[in-house]
Amino acid sequence: MRAGLMLAGVLLAAPVARAQDEVPEATRPERLYLNSGVLMGSSRVVGLGGAYVGIAEGVAGFTHNQAALAHRSPKLDRDWDVGVTLSWMNLPLAKVKGKDLDNDGQPDDAPETLQLQGAVMMQYRNFGLGFSLRNYQVAYCNTVHCDPSDRIRVSLVQSSLAGAVALGRDDFILGFGIYSAQAVFSHKPEGDWRYGDTGLALDMLYRPHGRSYRVGVSVRPEVVGAWRRGEGQVPFLAGRQLYSAVVSPAVMSLGASWRLGKGSERYNQLSPAARRQMLEGEHFSEVPAEEGAEGPAGRWLISAQADFISRVENAVPVRSFTALTAPEKVGVSGMLQPRVGVEHETWPGRLRTRLGAFIEPSPFTDHLPRAHVTGGFELFLFRYLDDWALTASFDVSRRYSDFGISVGLWR
């Protein structure tokens, strides 16, 4: 009898022990919000307050308008061209821990931030192809001691593989590509947990020949990236339950730019390579007369842009993963983000200076937007195989600052 009771006790206790050892297999139902309000881009883009959709020039700009891939330099005299840029943002020139990265009015107490961007593009006649990668990293404290080896690091990666084609007299350029949004959560003792997905992006630039303005449109889709479960991984990291996915809101941007000053009518002039291609073709009834290229095409450049950011469902801020309080819903309504930028040829052929501003809306309910002031310069360095330049920028606002530097080609 006693043996039977002991056997029954063991059988009853076994399921309880297994339940205690099991780890829940489900993630939290909410999705982490990838804030599009943070200005990410090259030093020129940042210096102009992000108002670049209506400019769309060079390798530094194709992450904002893919039409830049087929936008030929006015001095290009060969059938092909290449471009490369590497930018390092968030230089350690200001205190990091007091920044308010998600614009909720409170410091995030993130001891580390880093932003890197790289891009490469190739052009052949009126076609262009390019690849870009932007990596924005933030580290959060896992404990009150904030041991560097025990921090939770969040890496937000945006990449684009795109192409573009210039039509007519290079006055209409269409860009298209695959846009990817990913997030990587890292904790040294445990490894990496990855999210991500892709979508299709479509951009356009209208640059009428002989006129001093341009108009651009950029459309980025909403991307919902589910957790990509690795072998043996459970939905917990550093003792915190993972969220089901990350979500990047859809963004439609409308931009325009104008050149002012002597020579501004040459803002959209044809390159020698484009003119030669038109003369070789049979479908052009009229080729514009050749234009002089002395001096800049207007010493002032003004750009304005409006970003329309979509609402998202069931989203919470990224910091919810490390916060001990209940997560707050964000992105429940659409947002408008205006931008403006000015560039001046301060020393023609040698130095350009920039100043910009934009209003960053808050994805948090009942939180006011904040104004940013941006600026920077571009300095010609030397000529070796091509013309090289050094570019610097800044972006300052309430509880936020960003300083960046990049090396690229002078155009």
Side-chain angles (χ1 to χ4, degrees):
M1 180 66 177
R2 184 177 300 175
L5 291 174
M6 293 179 59
L7 179 60
V10 171
L11 293 176
L12 290 172
V16 175
R18 285 196 300 269
Q20 291 175 344
D21 293 337
E22 287 177 356
V23 177
E25 292 295 317
T27 59
R28 291 183 63 103
E30 300 92 348
R31 303 181 294 186
L32 294 174
Y33 185 80
L34 303 186
N35 186 11
S36 60
V38 176
L39 178 54
M40 297 177 63
S42 69
S43 294
R44 187 188 188 196
V45 173
V46 172
L48 290 169
Y52 211 79
V53 168
I55 299 176
E57 291 179 346
V59 63
F62 101 80
T63 56
H64 294 260
N65 189 335
Q66 295 169 148
L69 291 170
H71 191 174
R72 289 182 272 196
S73 168
K75 295 183 179 181
L76 184 65
D77 59 358
R78 59 195 182 201
D79 285 343
W80 60 273
D81 196 15
V82 296
V84 61
T85 185
L86 179 63
S87 300
W88 177 21
M89 317 300 288
N90 294 118
L91 294 178
L93 301 180
K95 185 179 179 181
V96 175
K97 204 169 183 179
K99 285 186 177 182
D100 177 11
L101 301 175
D102 52 11
N103 194 14
D104 66 345
Q106 301 295 327
D108 294 322
D109 291 331
E112 297 178 31
T113 63
L114 176 66
Q115 183 184 159
L116 297 174
Q117 171 174 298
V120 60
M121 62 175 282
M122 296 173 287
Q123 290 179 347
Y124 180 72
R125 297 173 76 89
N126 61 321
F127 297 95
L129 183 67
F131 175 77
S132 70
L133 183 69
R134 296 189 294 188
N135 189 353
Y136 187 72
Q137 297 182 15
V138 185
Y140 296 96
C141 298
N142 185 33
T143 63
V144 293
H145 302 290
C146 204
D147 185 350
S149 63
D150 192 36
R151 290 172 182 169
I152 298 174
R153 288 173 169 79
V154 182
S155 179
L156 308 179
V157 181
Q158 295 175 325
S159 61
S160 178
L161 177 62
V165 57
L167 305 174
R169 298 184 296 185
D170 278 13
D171 48 8
F172 185 82
I173 307 177
L174 184 65
F176 46 88
I178 300 175
Y179 172 76
S180 170
Q182 301 180 56
V184 181
F185 292 78
S186 302
H187 187 233
K188 277 189 176 181
E190 300 176 82
D192 299 338
W193 272 246
R194 300 178 181 273
Y195 295 79
D197 206 347
T198 59
L200 297 178
L202 181 65
D203 300 341
M204 180 273 292
L205 180 70
Y206 177 59
R207 51 182 303 278
H209 180 262
R211 302 302 179 98
S212 59
Y213 67 89
R214 295 174 187 165
V215 178
V217 179
S218 175
V219 179
R220 295 290 180 271
E222 177 181 302
V223 177
V224 179
W227 173 37
R228 298 176 177 176
R229 190 171 198 152
E231 184 178 355
Q233 286 186 335
V234 295
F236 280 82
L237 180 66
R240 294 168 169 83
Q241 191 174 8
L242 294 176
Y243 288 82
S244 62
V246 296
V247 56
S248 176
V251 181
M252 183 178 72
S253 301
L254 304 178
S257 63
W258 301 265
R259 278 284 184 186
L260 302 176
K262 184 179 179 180
S264 59
E265 70 279 357
R266 292 187 280 107
Y267 185 31
N268 299 320
Q269 74 180 70
L270 286 172
S271 67
R275 186 178 303 279
R276 184 172 61 252
Q277 184 179 348
M278 292 177 64
L279 291 172
E280 294 172 354
E282 299 179 354
H283 55 286
F284 292 102
S285 58
E286 180 182 353
V287 178
E290 190 169 357
E291 303 157 299
E294 294 298 326
R299 296 186 69 172
W300 291 93
L301 172 64
I302 301 176
S303 182
Q305 180 177 315
D307 299 336
F308 301 90
I309 305 171
S310 72
R311 64 185 300 271
V312 295
E313 299 287 344
N314 198 26
V316 297
V318 172
R319 63 173 173 78
S320 300
F321 187 70
T322 58
L324 300 178
T325 58
E328 178 182 356
K329 292 295 179 67
V330 295
V332 296
S333 60
M335 297 177 290
L336 173 64
Q337 185 165 244
R339 306 177 183 272
V340 64
V342 179
E343 181 179 87
H344 183 244
E345 290 279 348
T346 308
W347 183 6
R350 288 293 183 268
L351 176 66
R352 299 182 182 123
T353 53
R354 303 181 179 108
L355 188 65
F358 68 97
I359 304 297
E360 178 192 356
S362 176
F364 293 82
T365 306
D366 299 328
H367 282 269
L368 295 176
R370 62 180 173 184
H372 288 244
V373 176
T374 68
F377 66 87
E378 183 175 5
L379 178 66
F380 176 84
L381 294 178
F382 55 84
R383 175 173 293 177
Y384 179 73
L385 301 179
D386 212 319
D387 294 337
W388 294 88
L390 174 70
T391 309
S393 65
F394 66 85
D395 174 7
V396 294
S397 183
R398 182 180 69 251
R399 292 187 180 274
Y400 183 85
S401 62
D402 178 24
F403 302 92
I405 190 170
S406 64
V407 176
L409 302 180
W410 175 275
R411 290 291 184 259

